[in-house]
Amino acid sequence: MTLNDKIYKWLDDRFKLSELLPPIVKHPAPLNVVSNPLYCLGGTAFLCFLILVITGIFLAMYYKPTPAEAYKSVEHIMTAVPMGSLIRSVHHWAANTMIAAVMLHMMRIYFMGAYKKPRELNWVVGISLLLITTTFGFSGYLLPWDQLAFWATKIGTGIAGSIPVIGGYISLILVGGNDIGAETLTRFFAIHVMILPIAIATLLGLHFMMVRIQGISGRL
Amino acid sequence: MALIEVEKHEVEEEQKPEPVRVRGLPFFPHFLLREVVVMCLIAGGLIMLASIYPAGLLKPADPFDTPSPIYPEWYFLYVFGFLKFWTWDLGPIPAKMIGVTVPMVLWYGLLILVPFIDRNPSSDIRKRKVAVTLGVIVLIGILYFTYFSIVHH
């Protein structure tokens, strides 16, 4: 009995792995999914998400969310931290790729009619994921606290603020005052690294569970 | 690559349980191997892009110095484009309110309701002319407003 067998047996005795694993491991991927590269888009988005989590954690170790320190810390990441420039740039590109992949994934679902019964709710969850992904992008845009970040956020929150009825509240919640400043930066940081990650992880779990239960929609 | 046939038992009615054969690639190891290869390609592509075009950093934020032009992220450009494009008041509703509400609230509202609006049960693209036409029109519209926002800056 090799060491691997011993570890497997130890786990199997406790968690019934021999019953648990086969349905996962032997579950066949349908041929149309295997042969059509359009089915890669959702997985691409998820891979980008994982890369974003990892690079994001590294960035959070050096980033300081105050107006006085934010720009300097990003500059420090880009020039002094080993691999810092690569990590931030991969974070940047993975974010843009993720949004593109999510949008293309949605277009595939739409044009293939894959949102129809019984998958209506998964479409709703998917649109929420699209919203969360773009909000991720919007909140991350401010964090470097450079000219582009500041003024794009000023205009963006201004536009959100002119939505009838709820706009004023949205703007107040996001900006945390009348003008973009320290309050806004800490809010955007909290939204970007705490609120949205929890929201997206929950919805991704639901998204994948529904795919698992209902299967991938049939041929075109 | 080994294609195998997996047996699945249908639990339907009192018909004799005939095994339904699903042709496909077993998840482990064949499908997973393919996925890992694709993942490596994407990760490699991202690292290459990041090395050639590093993320930018402009001058520090200055609330008293408005730069021009200011572009939002590319996926919000269509909102700006529509806001610039729509200059007509509709009765008591000011043009700006329409310009903000249509591409954000109305657009996402309609998008979420798609499966409840489109009651056509067919997923055959030839039997979904209305949905496909509307989809193409919306797509062209979004591309047009994105273009509009870049040109009319």
Side-chain angles (χ1 to χ4, degrees), chain A residues 25 27-29 34 71 78 88-89 93 96-97 99 110-111 113 115-116 123 127 137 141 145-147 151 155 159 164, chain B residues 24-25 27-28 34 53-56 58-59 61-62 65-67 73-75 80 101 111 115 118 120 122 128 131:
Chain A
V25 166
H27 185 78
V34 175
Y71 183 85
M78 291 302 278
R88 177 163 175 257
S89 302
W93 280 106
N96 283 292
T97 311
I99 289 172
Y110 182 83
F111 286 111
Y115 53 80
K116 295 179 182 216
W123 168 271
I127 299 297
Y141 212 47
W145 203 250
D146 65 353
Q147 277 288 70
W151 289 96
I155 293 173
I159 285 187
Chain B
L25 215 51
F27 181 81
F28 182 88
R34 268 179 66 130
Y53 306 104
L58 302 181
K59 282 181 287 177
D62 180 358
D65 171 25
T66 314
E73 294 271 58
W74 56 269
Y75 39 85
F80 283 60
T101 314
L111 209 52
D118 176 14
N120 175 2
S122 173
R128 301 177 55 224

Side-chain angles (χ1 to χ4, degrees), chain A residues 152-169:
Chain A
T153 304
K154 195 161 177 83
I155 293 173
T157 50
I159 285 187
S162 37
I163 294 172
V165 188
I166 51 168
Y169 299 105

